């Protein structure tokens, strides 16, 4: 696993996201571009799916958002990736990827004591544009 090119930071977009429902009880991850550096990720997984995955993960378990740089690739296989730790109850995150002009896919899952990744789901592919800044 590689280190992220920029630190994950919500400070830049504080107040950008309106209040959202706590759960939709659907199994999906949505990845949206904010500007050339930042993205908004929204996710929701049913309790049934979460429990099924957690049962396969040896404790202690940690929930992570895995970022895949899939630029010039058709799948996540062989993609450069890094993990961002998540709170167990989190449902969204705004963060800086810091690589304009590249394509990314997100995955959310759990890592256990064996360091194996157990995926809950995967997002759409999103392309960060060149030189676009979010305006408040």
């Amino acid at each position: 696993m590689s280190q992220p090119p920029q630190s994950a930071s919500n400070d830049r977009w504080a107040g950008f996201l309106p209040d959202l429902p706590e759960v939709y009880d659907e199994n999906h991850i949505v990845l949206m571009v904010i500007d050339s550096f930042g993205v908004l990720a929204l996710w929701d997984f049913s309790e049934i799916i979460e429990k099924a995955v957690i049962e396969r993960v040896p404790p202690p378990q940690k929930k992570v958002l895995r970022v895949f740089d899939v630029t010039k690739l058709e799948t996540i296989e062989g993609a450069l990736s890094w993990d961002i730790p998540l709170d167990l109850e989190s449902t969204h995150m705004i963060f800086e990827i810091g690589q304009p002009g590249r394509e990314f896919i997100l995955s959310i899952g759990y890592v256990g004591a064996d360091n194996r990744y157990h995926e809950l789901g995967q997002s759409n592919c999103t392309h960060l544009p060149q030189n676009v800044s979010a305006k408040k």
Side-chain angles (χ1 to χ4, degrees):
M1 224 47 64
S2 216
Q3 293 298 315
Q6 298 274 335
S7 63
S9 171
N10 288 330
D11 296 342
R12 182 172 176 197
W13 297 287
F16 185 83
L17 188 64
D19 289 335
L20 297 170
E22 287 188 31
V23 295
Y24 294 91
D25 209 23
E26 296 178 9
N27 301 310
H28 68 276
I29 305 171
V30 176
L31 177 60
M32 294 182 275
V33 171
I34 295 173
D35 63 14
S36 295
F37 298 93
V39 295
L40 164 63
L42 305 163
W43 59 88
D44 186 42
F45 298 99
S46 71
E47 256 185 63
I48 294 168
I49 296 295
E50 288 244 13
K51 284 181 182 179
V53 170
I54 289 171
E55 287 175 0
R56 298 190 323 250
V57 182
Q61 301 120 340
K62 66 177 183 176
K63 192 173 189 178
V64 297
L65 183 148
R66 185 163 283 182
V67 181
F68 293 95
D69 183 341
V70 294
T71 307
K72 298 183 182 177
L73 299 174
E74 292 185 19
T75 70
I76 61 171
E77 296 300 318
L80 174 68
S81 67
W82 62 92
D83 290 348
I84 299 172
L86 292 175
D87 293 329
L88 292 177
E89 302 301 319
S90 62
T91 59
H92 63 277
M93 178 181 268
I94 296 174
F95 62 100
E96 195 167 306
I97 293 180
Q99 293 191 19
R102 301 195 66 83
E103 295 179 345
F104 296 91
I105 291 175
L106 301 183
S107 171
I108 293 180
Y110 287 87
V111 176
D114 59 0
N115 283 328
R116 291 185 54 220
Y117 181 71
H118 301 265
E119 184 177 85
L120 284 166
Q122 203 174 94
S123 76
N124 53 300
C125 183
T126 297
H127 180 265
L128 292 181
Q130 295 285 350
N131 303 317
V132 175
S133 179
K135 295 181 181 172
K136 284 190 170 183

